[in-house]
Amino acid sequence: EVRLVESGGGLVQPGGSLRLSCAASGFTFSDYNMKWLRQRPGKKLEWVSVISGSGEIIYYADSVKGRFTISRDNAKSTLYLQLNALETGDTAMYYCAKDRPETAIQALVRGQGTQVTVSS
């Protein structure tokens, strides 16, 4: 059974940083691209970043490019998202998801999420 467990969220002031983690189990982690998704209050689920199985190919949504960094440790079956220069607009529930080709993000297997709140 695929299991994804996010952690690391919290309350942070604008300009602050957080590091999110996602512990994966139940599948061969290195075989899959992984995504970070988020859902801001009152908004639809959106894609934040994706990383290939090897970690060599990475893409970011324009809204987070230059501020967030995705990475993975295949030996630990763990996905990370470093969030820097946080803005109030980054307040959201953040999810990691096991990617699947040609599958809408809403249909991807994801964890329970970790809440990030950016507020002064």
Side-chain angles (χ1 to χ4, degrees):
E1 178 191 0
V2 173
R3 190 159 185 248
L4 301 167
V5 180
E6 301 93 338
S7 62
L11 174 63
V12 63
Q13 292 187 339
S17 297
L18 283 172
R19 190 192 195 204
L20 307 184
S21 298
C22 169
S25 60
F27 64 103
T28 304
F29 184 68
S30 58
D31 284 351
Y32 290 88
N33 298 346
M34 294 294 294
K35 285 179 171 166
W36 282 101
L37 312 174
R38 70 182 182 184
Q39 187 161 24
R40 294 184 279 183
K43 304 285 188 181
K44 293 188 293 186
L45 189 67
E46 63 181 343
W47 165 74
V48 173
S49 183
V50 60
I51 186 168
S52 64
S54 66
E56 293 178 351
I57 301 173
I58 288 172
Y59 295 104
Y60 297 98
D62 287 344
S63 58
V64 307
K65 203 174 293 182
R67 301 187 298 119
F68 291 6
T69 303
I70 192 172
S71 62
R72 66 191 297 161
D73 184 336
N74 285 343
K76 295 182 179 179
S77 294
T78 302
L79 178 72
Y80 302 100
L81 187 67
Q82 179 68 40
L83 290 66
N84 295 331
L86 281 161
E87 304 167 354
T88 55
D90 295 317
T91 294
M93 185 70 80
Y94 284 74
Y95 303 92
C96 65
K98 176 175 170 279
D99 200 13
R100 202 169 135 194
E102 300 181 0
T103 301
I105 57 172
Q106 295 83 354
L108 296 176
V109 174
R110 61 182 192 257
Q112 83 290 345
T114 188
Q115 177 69 39
V116 172
T117 302
V118 184
S119 174
S120 55

